[in-house]
Amino acid sequence: MKYLSLTDDLYSYAAKWRSDADDAVLSDLRVATAKLGDDARMQISVEQGAFMRLLVAATGARHAIEVGTFTGYSALCVAQGLPADGRLICLDMDDDWTAIAREHWSRAGVADKIDLRIGPALESLRNLEPDLEFDFAFIDADKTEYDAYYEAILPRIRPNGLLLFDNMLWGGGLLDEGLEHPSGLALKDLNEKLTRDPRVENALLPFADGIQICRKR
Ligand code: SAH
Ligand code: MG
């Protein structure tokens, strides 16, 4: 067997042993988000946040973009991985959720690195300044639009830059017979497309809800 079926205890163990476990702002942001109830499940997991910060730092990324910010947890982790002069553009269309994000980014001292743009993501992507390029992209908004986000962002990724797509195992539902949900169908198509796409090298990491990690060739 080449994979682990996690139990709650084993997952808790894995989630515990990470360098950012004592970060008070991250912890407060998880608490503030949990108060939103069911919507809180959209927030990335703690080990995913730690992994993304590490990846951003290890690759020396300076220019990053996120599509789907919610209350700002993934953005905070990415911003922490960027150097002091690094920049993260965040796209979302919700003012209330991103107000929580802004508050915690300020407290964490990363607000100056983040440029939050409110509006439909595809519109914001169309309106990006023509000269902007990115080293790192995280895609986590409307699943049926992932492919369109990809096509809009890929030309702006530098060679060897990374794109991460969240929820690419879609709660385990992609193998359901008679899958009809537009989100599930879109993600299933995209997993296949990315794998066949000569423009990128990819691997589907089966942790959290499945992360497609793509390197631009
Ligand atoms: N990355 C976040 C979770 C994102 S949840 C975290 O770590 O917490 C998905 C977000 O995408 C929501 O905040 C929602 O407002 C936003 N979203 C969904 N469709 C969108 C669209 N078409 N344009 C802009 N934002 C969108
Ligand atoms: Mg997600």
Side-chain angles (χ1 to χ4, degrees):
M1 187 173 88
K2 297 290 189 187
Y3 65 92
L4 273 179
S5 300
L6 294 180
T7 59
D8 289 350
D9 283 346
L10 201 49
Y11 172 71
S12 299
Y13 179 86
K16 181 175 170 186
W17 297 106
R18 58 191 160 82
S19 327
D20 65 4
D22 294 330
D23 187 310
V25 181
L26 287 176
S27 164
D28 288 353
L29 179 50
R30 291 195 299 273
V31 171
T33 305
K35 288 185 183 146
L36 299 174
D38 201 35
D39 290 331
R41 78 194 133 73
M42 295 196 292
Q43 184 171 66
I44 62 161
S45 65
V46 292
E47 75 282 12
Q48 183 175 346
F51 171 70
M52 287 173 55
R53 178 188 309 99
L54 190 158
L55 201 59
V56 166
T59 56
R62 291 185 50 188
H63 299 280
I65 183 164
E66 169 177 271
V67 187
T69 293
F70 187 42
T71 58
Y73 194 91
S74 50
L76 176 47
C77 294
V78 168
Q80 288 172 330
L82 293 170
D85 65 347
R87 288 293 170 269
L88 167 63
I89 292 181
C90 283
L91 308 183
D92 205 288
M93 57 185 180
D94 192 281
D95 286 309
D96 297 333
W97 288 336
T98 53
I100 298 173
R102 285 187 198 278
E103 179 195 327
H104 289 82
W105 296 339
S106 291
R107 278 188 51 203
V110 300
D112 290 349
K113 295 185 193 174
I114 303 180
D115 174 0
L116 171 65
R117 302 180 180 190
I118 299 293
L122 286 176
E123 212 169 282
S124 300
L125 287 170
R126 266 195 300 276
N127 294 333
L128 284 178
E129 298 81 334
D131 54 333
L132 280 183
E133 286 192 353
F134 303 105
D135 310 297
F136 182 92
F138 180 55
I139 293 177
D140 191 19
D142 183 338
K143 308 313 168 205
T144 64
E145 294 186 348
Y146 268 31
D147 184 36
Y149 304 149
Y150 173 60
E151 291 297 343
I153 293 171
L154 186 66
R156 296 174 177 271
I157 299 277
R158 64 146 165 98
N160 287 324
L162 298 177
L163 295 116
L164 268 63
F165 296 83
D166 198 36
N167 307 106
M168 295 301 278
L169 286 175
W170 203 57
L174 297 185
L175 302 183
D176 291 354
E177 279 190 44
L179 171 65
E180 277 179 2
H181 195 291
S183 296
L185 292 172
L187 297 186
K188 208 172 170 181
D189 285 349
L190 187 58
N191 278 323
E192 292 172 25
K193 168 174 168 168
L194 293 172
T195 305
R196 279 191 261 103
D197 194 330
R199 298 172 295 176
V200 295
E201 172 186 13
N202 73 315
L204 176 46
L205 308 178
F207 96 92
D209 192 28
I211 300 165
Q212 268 285 9
I213 182 166
C214 299
R215 177 185 70 87
K216 183 168 173 176
R217 293 189 195 269

